[in-house]
Amino acid sequence: MVEDERNLLKMYDRKFTLEGFRVLQAENGKQALEIVKTEKPSVILLDIIMPELDGFQVLERLESNPETKDIPVILLTNLNQETDIARGMNLGAKDFLVKANFEPDEVVEKVKRMLRV
Amino acid sequence: MEYLDLINRLFVILICLFSMMLGIWVYRANSKLKVNRIFLVMTIAFVGWVGLAYLSDILTNELLILWSMKLAYASVIISVVSTYFFSVYFPIESPKSLYLRVANNTAIVLAGSLLLFLFFGDFLIIGFYSTGQTYNPVFGPLEYVLYFSIVAITILILVNFFKKYFTIPKQDKTQMAYFLTGLVILIASNLIFNILLPIVRGNIDYYQLGSYSIIFFLGFTAYAIVKHRLFGIRIILAGLLVGVLAILLFLDAVVLTQEPSLQIIKWVILAVFLFFGYYLVRSVLKEVQLRKSLQHAYADLKQLDIAKSEFISVASHQLRTPLSAIKGYVSMMRKGDYGDVSPDMAEALAVLHESNERLVVLVNNMLNISRIESGRLQFKPRGMSIEPIINSAINELSPQAKNAGINLIFTKSAVPAHQVFADPGLVHEILINLVDNGIKYTQCGGKVIVSLRPAERFLRTEIKDSGIGVVPETIPALFKKFSRGQNGAKMHTNGAGLGLYIVKELVNLHKGRVGVRSTGPGKGSTFWFELPYDIM
């Protein structure tokens, strides 16, 4: 779960933990890339506007690395311009969710459907 | 003949003066630009051409006649070669290439050798003869080389421009069109009067007519360079027209009219003409200045509008972050993720949830408006069925309808409707806004019904509610920005009056129609929109 807004990070962490997931937290892009060096998450929920590295840059690096390019990435952001969506999907994101339009329940639902669990 | 001579002399003086004014005007507009400097050289060369050619006709000293003739031809050569370099730098510099280097050198070598042959040795102009009225040059062996070189450089000029024409931006194209119009007039009249007629008829009696065309060429070009500055071509043309007519009237009064009484009348006519001519030019000038200031004001407003939209876009994104936190936490609390919730608390959370939802819609709408108005909204229509979109909009708004105690129904027809040509995301947006509107303005226990009504060219979607209805007088204003029906404000204070405006803009984008009918206050209303069928 890559999210620079602490309150949201805590919230999603609680929701996913309650649903039986193990959540790895990162507050910026750099931390996220550090974590994937040692752990291999089943899915990455990635915010876009963040300090250090932004979501697009993280996505680019994940996709260009053979070790991480198979990890599905869902962009979870408050940007929703068509250009942002197109850019994210072109970079290889599996889905694009606008935080303000989805409840945590629905986000969990999407992840479960993607992982078929 | 005296009469014609006088006209000719006046024309030559006017053209030379006017051309020099243009040259200096353009140069002073921005003396740092290469194009403007080359234009000044062009102007001096063209003025030299017309002036010296005229001078050679009225001089009496043989040596002076020969030299002014040679200098006139030198001016022609310089005119052509400077126009060539103009074509390299106007309206934007041609990209450097091997072709361009070869063409530049060809133009310089041809022009340089012609100038050498003109002044050294008996190759080009070796003497002159009188036709009675004017003097014509006697050419040496290189006469046709002169014609050939001028035509060759002219072709290079045209090639430069046509190569550039297809790669430059639209606004530069307009600039170029002005220049090319002048150039075509110049080339056409010179081909006819200075090359075709001398060859076919063997005399150059009409060559002055060719020279006169430079005024069009220089005028159009000057305008093209300094476009959007000072004044426009309409003033040049109006001034030119008034000037030429005044000269003709003057000549008519002075030269052609002998009878004193008639002369007086003609003087009066001239005076009246000058009076009105002055006001004509002045009013054109005023109008152009007015238009210019309007254009500036318009550009400023547009800039301001873009800044506003940009601000809304950034602000909306920033607003969403806290909204998503509220949404998420409230939703988890309601589901018991943070412990048990008492019935009272559940009620409070429901209110919190709904208020937050309204804020989300409002922020989304503001963002949509900023996108619509800044032209950044992406519109990708395709053939699509509307039913699934209606289903998803209804699913999304069902909880809200349930909370408000409203029955939200989609009455499907037995046969699925034809596909419409529309953008699914935007149709979803239209439906959310209209259904949300229906729920908002209907009391507890009421109904909101969505149905489809196929028509001949459009598929009509209707959203009928049993709510507060619409006062007929307010209908025209309903789809305007920040507008709300008369009763609306009483019932809900949290609407911003943006939803219907967005609906109208989005439907317009699809070239569809949108409207509402209501039998009056308290009797419900039916909002509808029509989308074109997919005919592919």
Side-chain angles (χ1 to χ4, degrees), chain A residues 7-8 11 14-15 49 78-83 100-101 103-105, chain B residues 313 317 320-321 324-325 327-329 332 335 337-338 353 364 367 371:
Chain A
N7 291 327
L8 287 176
M11 177 186 88
R14 185 178 185 107
K15 185 76 207 174
I49 298 186
N78 266 326
L79 290 178
N80 82 332
Q81 307 262 18
E82 285 84 351
T83 44
N101 297 349
E103 295 185 357
D105 260 357
Chain B
S313 168
H317 172 257
R320 278 214 193 102
T321 304
S324 38
K327 184 186 178 105
Y329 278 105
M332 284 172 67
K335 280 174 186 135
D337 289 347
Y338 285 91
H353 171 78
N364 283 345
L367 191 70
R371 270 188 288 181

PDB file of all heavy atoms in Angstrom, chain A residues 7-8 11 14-15 49 78-83 100-101 103-105, chain B residues 313 317 320-321 324-325 327-329 332 335 337-338 353 364 367 371:
ATOM      1  N   ASN A   7      -3.343   9.216   7.186  1.00  0.00           N
ATOM      2  CA  ASN A   7      -4.683   8.789   7.619  1.00  0.00           C
ATOM      3  C   ASN A   7      -5.278   7.770   6.661  1.00  0.00           C
ATOM      4  O   ASN A   7      -5.926   6.809   7.091  1.00  0.00           O
ATOM      5  CB  ASN A   7      -5.618   9.992   7.711  1.00  0.00           C
ATOM      6  CG  ASN A   7      -5.224  10.895   8.864  1.00  0.00           C
ATOM      7  OD1 ASN A   7      -4.738  10.411   9.883  1.00  0.00           O
ATOM      8  ND2 ASN A   7      -5.410  12.187   8.683  1.00  0.00           N
ATOM      9  N   LEU A   8      -5.048   7.992   5.381  1.00  0.00           N
ATOM     10  CA  LEU A   8      -5.582   7.046   4.395  1.00  0.00           C
ATOM     11  C   LEU A   8      -4.827   5.723   4.477  1.00  0.00           C
ATOM     12  O   LEU A   8      -5.416   4.644   4.354  1.00  0.00           O
ATOM     13  CB  LEU A   8      -5.488   7.639   2.984  1.00  0.00           C
ATOM     14  CG  LEU A   8      -6.482   8.749   2.674  1.00  0.00           C
ATOM     15  CD1 LEU A   8      -6.230   9.316   1.279  1.00  0.00           C
ATOM     16  CD2 LEU A   8      -7.918   8.216   2.743  1.00  0.00           C
ATOM     17  N   MET A  11      -6.104   3.826   7.322  1.00  0.00           N
ATOM     18  CA  MET A  11      -7.460   3.354   7.068  1.00  0.00           C
ATOM     19  C   MET A  11      -7.449   2.104   6.177  1.00  0.00           C
ATOM     20  O   MET A  11      -8.075   1.083   6.501  1.00  0.00           O
ATOM     21  CB  MET A  11      -8.259   4.472   6.400  1.00  0.00           C
ATOM     22  CG  MET A  11      -9.668   4.100   6.017  1.00  0.00           C
ATOM     23  SD  MET A  11     -10.413   5.455   5.099  1.00  0.00           S
ATOM     24  CE  MET A  11      -9.910   5.041   3.445  1.00  0.00           C
ATOM     25  N   ARG A  14      -6.050  -0.947   7.954  1.00  0.00           N
ATOM     26  CA  ARG A  14      -7.018  -1.594   8.855  1.00  0.00           C
ATOM     27  C   ARG A  14      -8.026  -2.436   8.068  1.00  0.00           C
ATOM     28  O   ARG A  14      -8.295  -3.591   8.401  1.00  0.00           O
ATOM     29  CB  ARG A  14      -7.753  -0.525   9.655  1.00  0.00           C
ATOM     30  CG  ARG A  14      -8.680  -1.129  10.705  1.00  0.00           C
ATOM     31  CD  ARG A  14      -9.338  -0.041  11.500  1.00  0.00           C
ATOM     32  NE  ARG A  14     -10.123  -0.617  12.578  1.00  0.00           N
ATOM     33  CZ  ARG A  14      -9.780  -0.566  13.857  1.00  0.00           C
ATOM     34  NH1 ARG A  14      -8.663   0.022  14.218  1.00  0.00           N
ATOM     35  NH2 ARG A  14     -10.550  -1.101  14.782  1.00  0.00           N
ATOM     36  N   LYS A  15      -8.525  -1.813   6.973  1.00  0.00           N
ATOM     37  CA  LYS A  15      -9.557  -2.509   6.190  1.00  0.00           C
ATOM     38  C   LYS A  15      -9.005  -3.818   5.622  1.00  0.00           C
ATOM     39  O   LYS A  15      -9.626  -4.880   5.756  1.00  0.00           O
ATOM     40  CB  LYS A  15     -10.049  -1.601   5.058  1.00  0.00           C
ATOM     41  CG  LYS A  15     -11.214  -2.182   4.268  1.00  0.00           C
ATOM     42  CD  LYS A  15     -12.492  -2.064   5.061  1.00  0.00           C
ATOM     43  CE  LYS A  15     -13.495  -3.141   4.677  1.00  0.00           C
ATOM     44  NZ  LYS A  15     -14.678  -3.106   5.544  1.00  0.00           N
ATOM     45  N   ILE A  49       0.316  11.118  -6.676  1.00  0.00           N
ATOM     46  CA  ILE A  49       1.029  12.309  -6.216  1.00  0.00           C
ATOM     47  C   ILE A  49       1.663  12.047  -4.853  1.00  0.00           C
ATOM     48  O   ILE A  49       0.965  11.927  -3.850  1.00  0.00           O
ATOM     49  CB  ILE A  49       0.074  13.523  -6.170  1.00  0.00           C
ATOM     50  CG1 ILE A  49      -0.422  13.785  -7.589  1.00  0.00           C
ATOM     51  CG2 ILE A  49       0.783  14.747  -5.603  1.00  0.00           C
ATOM     52  CD1 ILE A  49      -1.253  15.018  -7.733  1.00  0.00           C
ATOM     53  N   ASN A  78      -6.351  10.410  -6.352  1.00  0.00           N
ATOM     54  CA  ASN A  78      -7.440  11.370  -6.500  1.00  0.00           C
ATOM     55  C   ASN A  78      -7.329  12.175  -7.781  1.00  0.00           C
ATOM     56  O   ASN A  78      -8.066  13.128  -7.992  1.00  0.00           O
ATOM     57  CB  ASN A  78      -7.532  12.283  -5.281  1.00  0.00           C
ATOM     58  CG  ASN A  78      -8.528  11.724  -4.274  1.00  0.00           C
ATOM     59  OD1 ASN A  78      -9.527  11.129  -4.680  1.00  0.00           O
ATOM     60  ND2 ASN A  78      -8.259  11.883  -3.005  1.00  0.00           N
ATOM     61  N   LEU A  79      -6.371  11.802  -8.616  1.00  0.00           N
ATOM     62  CA  LEU A  79      -6.343  12.403  -9.958  1.00  0.00           C
ATOM     63  C   LEU A  79      -7.391  11.653 -10.761  1.00  0.00           C
ATOM     64  O   LEU A  79      -7.525  10.451 -10.611  1.00  0.00           O
ATOM     65  CB  LEU A  79      -4.991  12.174 -10.624  1.00  0.00           C
ATOM     66  CG  LEU A  79      -3.783  12.923 -10.078  1.00  0.00           C
ATOM     67  CD1 LEU A  79      -2.556  12.500 -10.868  1.00  0.00           C
ATOM     68  CD2 LEU A  79      -3.979  14.418 -10.210  1.00  0.00           C
ATOM     69  N   ASN A  80      -8.124  12.368 -11.628  1.00  0.00           N
ATOM     70  CA  ASN A  80      -8.996  11.576 -12.499  1.00  0.00           C
ATOM     71  C   ASN A  80      -9.142  12.171 -13.877  1.00  0.00           C
ATOM     72  O   ASN A  80     -10.128  11.969 -14.549  1.00  0.00           O
ATOM     73  CB  ASN A  80     -10.359  11.333 -11.845  1.00  0.00           C
ATOM     74  CG  ASN A  80     -11.277  12.506 -12.013  1.00  0.00           C
ATOM     75  OD1 ASN A  80     -10.814  13.632 -12.120  1.00  0.00           O
ATOM     76  ND2 ASN A  80     -12.570  12.260 -12.055  1.00  0.00           N
ATOM     77  N   GLN A  81      -8.135  12.940 -14.295  1.00  0.00           N
ATOM     78  CA  GLN A  81      -8.174  13.462 -15.661  1.00  0.00           C
ATOM     79  C   GLN A  81      -7.932  12.293 -16.619  1.00  0.00           C
ATOM     80  O   GLN A  81      -7.152  11.393 -16.313  1.00  0.00           O
ATOM     81  CB  GLN A  81      -7.055  14.483 -15.859  1.00  0.00           C
ATOM     82  CG  GLN A  81      -7.054  15.569 -14.822  1.00  0.00           C
ATOM     83  CD  GLN A  81      -7.728  16.825 -15.321  1.00  0.00           C
ATOM     84  OE1 GLN A  81      -8.473  16.786 -16.293  1.00  0.00           O
ATOM     85  NE2 GLN A  81      -7.486  17.920 -14.668  1.00  0.00           N
ATOM     86  N   GLU A  82      -8.605  12.372 -17.777  1.00  0.00           N
ATOM     87  CA  GLU A  82      -8.453  11.285 -18.760  1.00  0.00           C
ATOM     88  C   GLU A  82      -6.983  11.041 -19.094  1.00  0.00           C
ATOM     89  O   GLU A  82      -6.547   9.914 -19.289  1.00  0.00           O
ATOM     90  CB  GLU A  82      -9.201  11.619 -20.054  1.00  0.00           C
ATOM     91  CG  GLU A  82     -10.700  11.484 -19.969  1.00  0.00           C
ATOM     92  CD  GLU A  82     -11.364  12.719 -19.384  1.00  0.00           C
ATOM     93  OE1 GLU A  82     -10.639  13.612 -18.881  1.00  0.00           O
ATOM     94  OE2 GLU A  82     -12.602  12.792 -19.415  1.00  0.00           O
ATOM     95  N   THR A  83      -6.214  12.137 -19.151  1.00  0.00           N
ATOM     96  CA  THR A  83      -4.804  11.986 -19.524  1.00  0.00           C
ATOM     97  C   THR A  83      -4.054  11.179 -18.464  1.00  0.00           C
ATOM     98  O   THR A  83      -3.181  10.376 -18.792  1.00  0.00           O
ATOM     99  CB  THR A  83      -4.144  13.362 -19.668  1.00  0.00           C
ATOM    100  OG1 THR A  83      -4.548  14.181 -18.576  1.00  0.00           O
ATOM    101  CG2 THR A  83      -4.523  14.038 -20.966  1.00  0.00           C
ATOM    102  N   ALA A 100     -11.880   9.136  -3.945  1.00  0.00           N
ATOM    103  CA  ALA A 100     -13.102   9.791  -3.458  1.00  0.00           C
ATOM    104  C   ALA A 100     -14.361   9.100  -3.975  1.00  0.00           C
ATOM    105  O   ALA A 100     -15.445   9.317  -3.457  1.00  0.00           O
ATOM    106  CB  ALA A 100     -13.104  11.252  -3.846  1.00  0.00           C
ATOM    107  N   ASN A 101     -14.220   8.284  -5.032  1.00  0.00           N
ATOM    108  CA  ASN A 101     -15.402   7.641  -5.610  1.00  0.00           C
ATOM    109  C   ASN A 101     -15.599   6.197  -5.135  1.00  0.00           C
ATOM    110  O   ASN A 101     -16.588   5.559  -5.491  1.00  0.00           O
ATOM    111  CB  ASN A 101     -15.332   7.661  -7.138  1.00  0.00           C
ATOM    112  CG  ASN A 101     -15.346   9.082  -7.678  1.00  0.00           C
ATOM    113  OD1 ASN A 101     -15.616  10.021  -6.935  1.00  0.00           O
ATOM    114  ND2 ASN A 101     -15.048   9.240  -8.953  1.00  0.00           N
ATOM    115  N   GLU A 103     -15.501   3.319  -1.876  1.00  0.00           N
ATOM    116  CA  GLU A 103     -15.382   3.052  -0.446  1.00  0.00           C
ATOM    117  C   GLU A 103     -14.343   1.958  -0.256  1.00  0.00           C
ATOM    118  O   GLU A 103     -14.130   1.154  -1.169  1.00  0.00           O
ATOM    119  CB  GLU A 103     -16.753   2.618   0.093  1.00  0.00           C
ATOM    120  CG  GLU A 103     -17.725   3.759  -0.011  1.00  0.00           C
ATOM    121  CD  GLU A 103     -19.080   3.468   0.607  1.00  0.00           C
ATOM    122  OE1 GLU A 103     -19.284   2.337   1.070  1.00  0.00           O
ATOM    123  OE2 GLU A 103     -19.917   4.387   0.610  1.00  0.00           O
ATOM    124  N   PRO A 104     -13.724   1.888   0.936  1.00  0.00           N
ATOM    125  CA  PRO A 104     -12.699   0.868   1.178  1.00  0.00           C
ATOM    126  C   PRO A 104     -13.189  -0.538   0.828  1.00  0.00           C
ATOM    127  O   PRO A 104     -12.447  -1.335   0.253  1.00  0.00           O
ATOM    128  CB  PRO A 104     -12.411   0.996   2.672  1.00  0.00           C
ATOM    129  CG  PRO A 104     -12.735   2.420   2.986  1.00  0.00           C
ATOM    130  CD  PRO A 104     -13.856   2.799   2.075  1.00  0.00           C
ATOM    131  N   ASP A 105     -14.456  -0.811   1.152  1.00  0.00           N
ATOM    132  CA  ASP A 105     -15.075  -2.087   0.791  1.00  0.00           C
ATOM    133  C   ASP A 105     -14.921  -2.420  -0.685  1.00  0.00           C
ATOM    134  O   ASP A 105     -14.595  -3.541  -1.063  1.00  0.00           O
ATOM    135  CB  ASP A 105     -16.591  -1.976   1.051  1.00  0.00           C
ATOM    136  CG  ASP A 105     -16.956  -2.622   2.359  1.00  0.00           C
ATOM    137  OD1 ASP A 105     -16.029  -3.172   2.983  1.00  0.00           O
ATOM    138  OD2 ASP A 105     -18.144  -2.560   2.733  1.00  0.00           O
TER     139      ASP A 105
ATOM    140  N   SER B 313      -9.223  22.962 -11.075  1.00  0.00           N
ATOM    141  CA  SER B 313      -8.759  21.599 -11.268  1.00  0.00           C
ATOM    142  C   SER B 313      -7.819  21.181 -10.133  1.00  0.00           C
ATOM    143  O   SER B 313      -7.958  20.103  -9.553  1.00  0.00           O
ATOM    144  CB  SER B 313      -8.068  21.508 -12.625  1.00  0.00           C
ATOM    145  OG  SER B 313      -7.377  20.321 -12.728  1.00  0.00           O
ATOM    146  N   HIS B 317      -8.647  18.539  -6.843  1.00  0.00           N
ATOM    147  CA  HIS B 317      -7.828  17.386  -6.468  1.00  0.00           C
ATOM    148  C   HIS B 317      -7.469  17.455  -4.993  1.00  0.00           C
ATOM    149  O   HIS B 317      -7.520  16.462  -4.269  1.00  0.00           O
ATOM    150  CB  HIS B 317      -6.571  17.324  -7.330  1.00  0.00           C
ATOM    151  CG  HIS B 317      -5.618  16.279  -6.872  1.00  0.00           C
ATOM    152  ND1 HIS B 317      -4.482  16.586  -6.170  1.00  0.00           N
ATOM    153  CD2 HIS B 317      -5.666  14.931  -6.947  1.00  0.00           C
ATOM    154  CE1 HIS B 317      -3.863  15.465  -5.843  1.00  0.00           C
ATOM    155  NE2 HIS B 317      -4.555  14.452  -6.318  1.00  0.00           N
ATOM    156  N   ARG B 320     -10.367  16.534  -2.811  1.00  0.00           N
ATOM    157  CA  ARG B 320     -10.748  15.121  -2.791  1.00  0.00           C
ATOM    158  C   ARG B 320     -10.029  14.325  -1.716  1.00  0.00           C
ATOM    159  O   ARG B 320     -10.563  13.346  -1.209  1.00  0.00           O
ATOM    160  CB  ARG B 320     -10.418  14.501  -4.150  1.00  0.00           C
ATOM    161  CG  ARG B 320     -11.474  14.763  -5.156  1.00  0.00           C
ATOM    162  CD  ARG B 320     -11.552  13.558  -6.077  1.00  0.00           C
ATOM    163  NE  ARG B 320     -12.342  13.901  -7.219  1.00  0.00           N
ATOM    164  CZ  ARG B 320     -11.816  14.189  -8.394  1.00  0.00           C
ATOM    165  NH1 ARG B 320     -10.512  14.169  -8.562  1.00  0.00           N
ATOM    166  NH2 ARG B 320     -12.592  14.486  -9.387  1.00  0.00           N
ATOM    167  N   THR B 321      -8.778  14.740  -1.406  1.00  0.00           N
ATOM    168  CA  THR B 321      -8.009  13.945  -0.462  1.00  0.00           C
ATOM    169  C   THR B 321      -8.715  13.856   0.902  1.00  0.00           C
ATOM    170  O   THR B 321      -8.985  12.736   1.365  1.00  0.00           O
ATOM    171  CB  THR B 321      -6.587  14.505  -0.353  1.00  0.00           C
ATOM    172  OG1 THR B 321      -6.054  14.511  -1.677  1.00  0.00           O
ATOM    173  CG2 THR B 321      -5.705  13.668   0.535  1.00  0.00           C
ATOM    174  N   SER B 324     -11.913  11.818   0.619  1.00  0.00           N
ATOM    175  CA  SER B 324     -11.811  10.358   0.543  1.00  0.00           C
ATOM    176  C   SER B 324     -11.524   9.773   1.916  1.00  0.00           C
ATOM    177  O   SER B 324     -11.941   8.641   2.194  1.00  0.00           O
ATOM    178  CB  SER B 324     -10.783   9.911  -0.505  1.00  0.00           C
ATOM    179  OG  SER B 324      -9.681  10.745  -0.514  1.00  0.00           O
ATOM    180  N   ALA B 325     -10.816  10.532   2.761  1.00  0.00           N
ATOM    181  CA  ALA B 325     -10.585  10.037   4.124  1.00  0.00           C
ATOM    182  C   ALA B 325     -11.915   9.959   4.879  1.00  0.00           C
ATOM    183  O   ALA B 325     -12.219   8.939   5.517  1.00  0.00           O
ATOM    184  CB  ALA B 325      -9.608  10.946   4.853  1.00  0.00           C
ATOM    185  N   LYS B 327     -14.926   9.740   3.622  1.00  0.00           N
ATOM    186  CA  LYS B 327     -15.737   8.690   3.009  1.00  0.00           C
ATOM    187  C   LYS B 327     -15.317   7.315   3.523  1.00  0.00           C
ATOM    188  O   LYS B 327     -16.147   6.501   3.938  1.00  0.00           O
ATOM    189  CB  LYS B 327     -15.573   8.764   1.492  1.00  0.00           C
ATOM    190  CG  LYS B 327     -16.430   7.788   0.712  1.00  0.00           C
ATOM    191  CD  LYS B 327     -16.059   7.877  -0.775  1.00  0.00           C
ATOM    192  CE  LYS B 327     -16.853   6.892  -1.582  1.00  0.00           C
ATOM    193  NZ  LYS B 327     -17.925   7.545  -2.344  1.00  0.00           N
ATOM    194  N   GLY B 328     -14.010   7.092   3.492  1.00  0.00           N
ATOM    195  CA  GLY B 328     -13.499   5.782   3.887  1.00  0.00           C
ATOM    196  C   GLY B 328     -13.788   5.470   5.343  1.00  0.00           C
ATOM    197  O   GLY B 328     -14.327   4.395   5.664  1.00  0.00           O
ATOM    198  N   TYR B 329     -13.439   6.412   6.230  1.00  0.00           N
ATOM    199  CA  TYR B 329     -13.634   6.151   7.664  1.00  0.00           C
ATOM    200  C   TYR B 329     -15.113   5.972   8.000  1.00  0.00           C
ATOM    201  O   TYR B 329     -15.494   5.062   8.734  1.00  0.00           O
ATOM    202  CB  TYR B 329     -13.016   7.273   8.500  1.00  0.00           C
ATOM    203  CG  TYR B 329     -11.521   7.093   8.693  1.00  0.00           C
ATOM    204  CD1 TYR B 329     -10.610   7.859   7.993  1.00  0.00           C
ATOM    205  CD2 TYR B 329     -11.042   6.131   9.584  1.00  0.00           C
ATOM    206  CE1 TYR B 329      -9.246   7.687   8.161  1.00  0.00           C
ATOM    207  CE2 TYR B 329      -9.677   5.942   9.763  1.00  0.00           C
ATOM    208  CZ  TYR B 329      -8.778   6.724   9.042  1.00  0.00           C
ATOM    209  OH  TYR B 329      -7.445   6.528   9.213  1.00  0.00           O
ATOM    210  N   MET B 332     -16.339   2.626   6.877  1.00  0.00           N
ATOM    211  CA  MET B 332     -15.856   1.520   7.714  1.00  0.00           C
ATOM    212  C   MET B 332     -16.546   1.516   9.076  1.00  0.00           C
ATOM    213  O   MET B 332     -16.878   0.448   9.610  1.00  0.00           O
ATOM    214  CB  MET B 332     -14.335   1.608   7.875  1.00  0.00           C
ATOM    215  CG  MET B 332     -13.606   1.142   6.606  1.00  0.00           C
ATOM    216  SD  MET B 332     -11.836   1.430   6.665  1.00  0.00           S
ATOM    217  CE  MET B 332     -11.331   0.308   7.944  1.00  0.00           C
ATOM    218  N   LYS B 335     -19.875   0.026   8.868  1.00  0.00           N
ATOM    219  CA  LYS B 335     -19.862  -1.427   8.709  1.00  0.00           C
ATOM    220  C   LYS B 335     -19.341  -2.130   9.952  1.00  0.00           C
ATOM    221  O   LYS B 335     -19.110  -3.342   9.940  1.00  0.00           O
ATOM    222  CB  LYS B 335     -19.048  -1.782   7.493  1.00  0.00           C
ATOM    223  CG  LYS B 335     -19.915  -1.578   6.282  1.00  0.00           C
ATOM    224  CD  LYS B 335     -19.308  -1.727   4.970  1.00  0.00           C
ATOM    225  CE  LYS B 335     -20.378  -1.310   3.971  1.00  0.00           C
ATOM    226  NZ  LYS B 335     -19.870  -0.434   2.942  1.00  0.00           N
ATOM    227  N   ASP B 337     -16.357  -1.787  11.349  1.00  0.00           N
ATOM    228  CA  ASP B 337     -14.920  -2.055  11.333  1.00  0.00           C
ATOM    229  C   ASP B 337     -14.204  -1.389  12.512  1.00  0.00           C
ATOM    230  O   ASP B 337     -13.051  -1.710  12.813  1.00  0.00           O
ATOM    231  CB  ASP B 337     -14.298  -1.568  10.016  1.00  0.00           C
ATOM    232  CG  ASP B 337     -14.722  -2.445   8.845  1.00  0.00           C
ATOM    233  OD1 ASP B 337     -15.283  -3.536   9.104  1.00  0.00           O
ATOM    234  OD2 ASP B 337     -14.516  -2.047   7.684  1.00  0.00           O
ATOM    235  N   TYR B 338     -14.846  -0.415  13.136  1.00  0.00           N
ATOM    236  CA  TYR B 338     -14.248   0.228  14.304  1.00  0.00           C
ATOM    237  C   TYR B 338     -15.084  -0.060  15.558  1.00  0.00           C
ATOM    238  O   TYR B 338     -15.187   0.751  16.457  1.00  0.00           O
ATOM    239  CB  TYR B 338     -14.119   1.743  14.084  1.00  0.00           C
ATOM    240  CG  TYR B 338     -12.985   2.097  13.142  1.00  0.00           C
ATOM    241  CD1 TYR B 338     -13.205   2.204  11.778  1.00  0.00           C
ATOM    242  CD2 TYR B 338     -11.694   2.294  13.637  1.00  0.00           C
ATOM    243  CE1 TYR B 338     -12.177   2.497  10.918  1.00  0.00           C
ATOM    244  CE2 TYR B 338     -10.654   2.590  12.777  1.00  0.00           C
ATOM    245  CZ  TYR B 338     -10.885   2.695  11.417  1.00  0.00           C
ATOM    246  OH  TYR B 338      -9.865   2.983  10.574  1.00  0.00           O
ATOM    247  N   HIS B 353     -22.362  10.447   5.926  1.00  0.00           N
ATOM    248  CA  HIS B 353     -22.048   9.796   4.650  1.00  0.00           C
ATOM    249  C   HIS B 353     -22.701  10.543   3.483  1.00  0.00           C
ATOM    250  O   HIS B 353     -22.053  10.851   2.487  1.00  0.00           O
ATOM    251  CB  HIS B 353     -22.527   8.346   4.682  1.00  0.00           C
ATOM    252  CG  HIS B 353     -22.459   7.656   3.359  1.00  0.00           C
ATOM    253  ND1 HIS B 353     -21.277   7.180   2.845  1.00  0.00           N
ATOM    254  CD2 HIS B 353     -23.412   7.406   2.427  1.00  0.00           C
ATOM    255  CE1 HIS B 353     -21.512   6.653   1.653  1.00  0.00           C
ATOM    256  NE2 HIS B 353     -22.799   6.770   1.371  1.00  0.00           N
ATOM    257  N   ASN B 364     -16.569  16.869  -8.049  1.00  0.00           N
ATOM    258  CA  ASN B 364     -16.475  16.267  -9.380  1.00  0.00           C
ATOM    259  C   ASN B 364     -17.075  17.189 -10.428  1.00  0.00           C
ATOM    260  O   ASN B 364     -16.525  17.354 -11.519  1.00  0.00           O
ATOM    261  CB  ASN B 364     -17.192  14.920  -9.418  1.00  0.00           C
ATOM    262  CG  ASN B 364     -16.358  13.833  -8.764  1.00  0.00           C
ATOM    263  OD1 ASN B 364     -15.174  14.021  -8.533  1.00  0.00           O
ATOM    264  ND2 ASN B 364     -16.986  12.717  -8.447  1.00  0.00           N
ATOM    265  N   LEU B 367     -14.853  20.117 -11.202  1.00  0.00           N
ATOM    266  CA  LEU B 367     -13.750  19.667 -12.040  1.00  0.00           C
ATOM    267  C   LEU B 367     -14.236  19.468 -13.473  1.00  0.00           C
ATOM    268  O   LEU B 367     -13.560  19.845 -14.431  1.00  0.00           O
ATOM    269  CB  LEU B 367     -13.203  18.361 -11.481  1.00  0.00           C
ATOM    270  CG  LEU B 367     -11.881  17.932 -12.098  1.00  0.00           C
ATOM    271  CD1 LEU B 367     -10.788  18.872 -11.644  1.00  0.00           C
ATOM    272  CD2 LEU B 367     -11.530  16.525 -11.679  1.00  0.00           C
ATOM    273  N   ARG B 371     -13.048  21.356 -16.868  1.00  0.00           N
ATOM    274  CA  ARG B 371     -12.569  20.626 -18.041  1.00  0.00           C
ATOM    275  C   ARG B 371     -13.363  20.969 -19.297  1.00  0.00           C
ATOM    276  O   ARG B 371     -12.813  21.135 -20.374  1.00  0.00           O
ATOM    277  CB  ARG B 371     -12.613  19.125 -17.794  1.00  0.00           C
ATOM    278  CG  ARG B 371     -11.316  18.648 -17.198  1.00  0.00           C
ATOM    279  CD  ARG B 371     -11.268  17.178 -17.134  1.00  0.00           C
ATOM    280  NE  ARG B 371     -12.170  16.673 -16.097  1.00  0.00           N
ATOM    281  CZ  ARG B 371     -12.308  15.399 -15.826  1.00  0.00           C
ATOM    282  NH1 ARG B 371     -11.640  14.511 -16.508  1.00  0.00           N
ATOM    283  NH2 ARG B 371     -13.123  15.001 -14.886  1.00  0.00           N
TER     284      ARG B 371
END
